[in-house]
């Protein structure tokens, strides 16, 4: 059994292919999550803020959540309503846990939905759940299939080299953030 769903494009690939594919997809989704949040903050507050706990342009909660959802939910592709509900539930559970964990670890909150309708302890809210459900649908039906096509066109040596670089950058950023988390106005509450 492979770690990535058996899509038509990825059936006859090696474990190494999947390892680097996961690194690339995680990085891509983490970057898109960072871009999403930076743009939202830019629109709502009229200023640039490097969102997230890390220094680099990535939010690992989006990468991990997106990769996990894709692996978990791809087989349900014929059931979009179920994908929506499961994604909203799983992502809210992940977001709640991460909020709680980060607050326990550093005593700081990186997000607070207390002013949002139907929130739970300010850690998750209904609007976020809907956004996660819609995001999962867009990801499973459009974004990841597009990403797979692009990824397969990249020569294997470049996939591996860039994959190693991405992994090293992410690990270095994570190690730095363990001692110096990204905090401040617009980042933490």
């Amino acid at each position: 059994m492979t770690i990535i769903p058996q899509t038509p494009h990825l059936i006859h690939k090696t474990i190494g292919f999947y390892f680097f594919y996961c690194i690339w997809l995680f990085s891509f989704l983490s970057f898109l999550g960072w871009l999403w949040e930076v743009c939202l903050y830019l629109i709502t507050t009229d200023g640039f803020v490097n969102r997230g706990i890390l220094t680099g342009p990535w939010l690992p909660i989006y990468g991990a959540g997106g990769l996990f959802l894709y692996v978990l939910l791809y087989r349900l592709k014929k059931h979009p309503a179920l994908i929506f509900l499961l994604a909203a539930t799983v992502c809210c559970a992940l977001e709640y846990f991460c909020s709680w964990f980060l607050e326990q670890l550093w005593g700081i909150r990186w997000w607070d939905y207390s002013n949002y309708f139907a929130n739970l302890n300010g850690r998750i809210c209904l609007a976020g759940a809907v956004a996660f459900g819609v995001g999962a649908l867009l990801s499973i039906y459009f974004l990841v299939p597009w990403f797979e096509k692009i990824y397969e066109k990249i020569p294997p040596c470049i996939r591996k080299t860039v994959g190693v670089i991405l992994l090293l950058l992410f690990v270095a950023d994570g190690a730095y953030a363990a001692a110096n988390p990204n905090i401040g106005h617009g980042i933490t509450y």
Side-chain angles (χ1 to χ4, degrees), residues 52-53 61 95-111 123 181:
I53 190 171
I61 193 169
E95 185 174 39
Y96 192 95
F97 172 76
C98 288
S99 172
W100 173 84
F101 177 77
L102 293 172
E103 190 171 349
Q104 296 303 307
L105 189 61
W106 282 292
I108 300 169
R109 275 194 156 188
W110 269 266
W111 58 89
R123 297 184 191 282

Side-chain angles (χ1 to χ4, degrees), residues 72-143:
L72 181 70
L73 301 179
Y74 182 82
R75 289 175 181 89
L76 302 174
K77 199 170 181 177
K78 294 180 181 178
H79 308 284
L82 184 58
I83 289 174
F84 178 89
L85 291 172
L86 288 172
T89 303
V90 168
C91 287
C92 280
L94 176 64
E95 185 174 39
Y96 192 95
F97 172 76
C98 288
S99 172
W100 173 84
F101 177 77
L102 293 172
E103 190 171 349
Q104 296 303 307
L105 189 61
W106 282 292
I108 300 169
R109 275 194 156 188
W110 269 266
W111 58 89
D112 187 351
Y113 300 123
S114 295
N115 295 328
Y116 285 72
F117 173 73
N119 75 80
L120 181 60
N121 301 323
R123 297 184 191 282
I124 57 174
C125 67
L126 181 60
V130 170
F132 291 138
V134 170
L137 291 172
L138 291 173
S139 182
I140 287 172
Y141 290 104
F142 303 106
L143 188 61

